[in-house]
Amino acid sequence: MGFELARLIAGQIFLHACMAGMRMAAPLMALREGYSEAAVGVLLALFALTQVFLALPAGRYADRQGVRRPLALSVAVATAGAGAAAAFPIFPVLCLSALMVGGATGVASIALQRHVGRAASGATQLRQVFSWLAIGPALSNFLGPFLAGLLIDHTGFRIAFFAMALLPLATWFWVRRTRELPPVAAPPGARRGAAWDLLAQPQFRRLMLVNWLLSSCWDVHTFVVPVLGHQRGLSASVIGTLLGAFALAATFVRIAMPLLAARLQEWKVITVAMAATALLFVVYPLVPTAWAMGLCSVLLGLALGSVQPMIMSTLHQTTPEHRHGEALGLRLMAINGSSVVMPILFGVAGAAVGVAGVFWSVGALVAGGTRLALRMKPAD
């Protein structure tokens, strides 16, 4: 599975880098054109809006079709979305691009996660493969914003958007020969209920709440750092580097985790990450320099980067195999439903109480949520 997994990770990097770069460049262009923080919040929310409606159908589609068809569709839509922003770099088109690129990335993510989870066997291998797979978004969260920031500073927004449109084409180069796994039939007598039936499981319910809290922290960092950097007069390259430092730290911890998978326990990793994140959210808005902001971004990347492999491993252990795609879709719908609402709230709150208030409010929620993570400890 080693080479196959490497190709899937490579493909994921380029598609996700397209979205990460667009999420940095589009709000920055809107700010420079004089749009308010609230408008930027709406723009960021649109990257998640399509995924809210597509997540469950995409999960069921992946359960039926496998991995290649969803990925081919995602590549086409992401390329068209970023290309539209390059051709017509105006706010309404940026909103359309956000819908298209965000939706495409979500569909691809579900298909890839389902495929990799099914190919793994046992809890330790689940932790390993999801740690490796999580390296993709972490690297792309560096590649996309860093590349976009450099291009914006040296060539302008139009060329930056055009470069983002080319990235998904590399995805198809890597994943086009992926071998499909045999379809999974439902066990005899199993009833296909509504996706919400999965929430009847207490462990799955707690997992969704913890995942929502921690995904909100990613949204806070993505939204607040460009705003805070703009307020402090930092260049696009520096802002992109701050976001990239966060991503590199998340990559580093995810590279280390497969080597330690046999010694890790999901609930312990998640609890420590939540406590560390809450503390860093108190400190971040108080630091005065770009270097100090970079250190906070690195520490946040280490904490939040460790979480997704543990979430995905737990999800695959607590849901039926024939409904993995559906469970992944429900998870993505929940966190992206939050990502639609939260940036708008962040924008309104940032205008009302400042970015420090946004950091501290979310940090308090995460601190309170550590109790949920403690209750995810498996029964002896």
Side-chain angles (χ1 to χ4, degrees):
M1 186 182 175
F3 182 66
E4 179 95 351
L5 181 61
R7 288 195 293 110
L8 291 173
I9 292 171
Q12 185 185 34
I13 287 170
F14 289 101
L15 183 57
H16 201 279
C18 172
M19 186 181 75
M22 292 293 293
R23 278 173 63 96
M24 182 266 188
L28 194 57
M29 182 178 182
L31 287 169
R32 291 192 179 180
E33 292 294 318
Y35 286 90
S36 68
E37 292 176 1
V40 171
V42 171
L43 177 58
L44 275 174
L46 294 178
F47 281 94
L49 182 62
T50 318
Q51 298 184 39
V52 175
F53 298 101
L54 287 182
L56 279 177
R60 290 173 178 147
Y61 184 68
D63 280 334
R64 295 193 308 269
Q65 299 293 337
V67 67
R68 280 190 300 187
R69 287 187 180 180
L71 287 177
L73 180 62
S74 298
V75 166
V77 173
T79 298
F88 306 101
I90 56 177
F91 189 78
V93 176
L94 293 181
C95 293
L96 175 64
S97 298
L99 290 169
M100 295 176 69
V101 173
T105 306
V107 171
S109 176
I110 291 171
L112 285 168
Q113 290 166 353
R114 175 187 177 276
H115 182 83
V116 169
R118 284 196 57 214
S121 59
T124 298
Q125 193 173 60
L126 277 171
R127 289 192 288 268
Q128 288 174 330
V129 297
F130 279 118
S131 295
W132 287 120
L133 187 65
I135 292 170
L139 279 174
S140 62
N141 280 332
F142 169 77
L143 173 64
F146 183 72
L147 177 60
L150 286 178
L151 290 174
I152 290 167
D153 283 345
H154 293 93
T155 63
F157 282 97
R158 191 186 294 267
I159 298 300
F161 291 140
F162 180 72
M164 296 302 104
L166 296 179
L167 292 176
L169 299 179
T171 295
W172 187 242
F173 171 81
W174 288 108
V175 304
R176 70 190 190 281
R177 295 181 181 174
T178 301
R179 291 174 294 178
E180 296 285 3
L181 297 172
V184 179
R191 183 179 63 88
R192 167 69 80 176
W196 306 106
D197 293 348
L198 293 168
L199 293 173
Q201 303 176 36
Q203 188 79 331
F204 186 79
R205 203 163 52 240
R206 283 191 285 269
L207 187 68
M208 292 298 100
L209 287 170
V210 167
N211 200 181
W212 169 73
L213 283 170
L214 292 167
S215 68
S216 295
C217 295
W218 286 78
D219 291 333
V220 168
H221 190 263
T222 300
F223 172 78
V224 172
V225 168
V227 174
L228 192 61
H230 179 72
Q231 290 177 352
R232 296 181 178 181
L234 302 180
S235 69
S237 297
V238 173
I239 294 171
T241 301
L242 289 174
L243 295 174
F246 173 88
L248 285 178
T251 303
F252 173 80
V253 74
R254 288 170 178 179
I255 290 173
M257 288 178 74
L259 306 177
L260 304 171
R263 301 181 181 180
L264 298 176
Q265 291 181 279
E266 288 86 350
W267 70 275
K268 287 183 179 179
V269 174
I270 294 170
T271 301
V272 171
M274 294 183 79
T277 299
L279 178 61
L280 287 166
F281 269 29
V282 173
V283 174
Y284 203 120
L286 302 177
V287 298
T289 66
W291 284 104
M293 292 171 65
L295 176 61
C296 287
S297 289
V298 167
L299 294 175
L300 274 172
L302 293 174
L304 293 174
S306 66
V307 170
Q308 184 179 336
M310 302 296 102
I311 294 284
M312 300 306 299
S313 173
T314 304
L315 182 146
H316 278 76
Q317 292 177 63
T318 56
T319 55
E321 185 179 7
H322 68 286
R323 301 187 71 181
H324 279 174
E326 198 172 4
L328 290 166
L330 185 60
R331 168 188 169 270
L332 194 66
M333 185 181 73
I335 62 176
N336 282 287
S338 170
S339 293
V340 171
V341 177
M342 297 306 283
I344 299 174
L345 293 179
F346 298 155
V348 173
V353 300
V355 293
V358 175
F359 263 124
W360 295 336
S361 299
V362 176
L365 287 174
V366 174
T370 55
R371 292 182 60 188
L372 289 171
L374 288 169
R375 294 178 64 189
M376 289 171 58
K377 179 180 179 181
D380 294 331

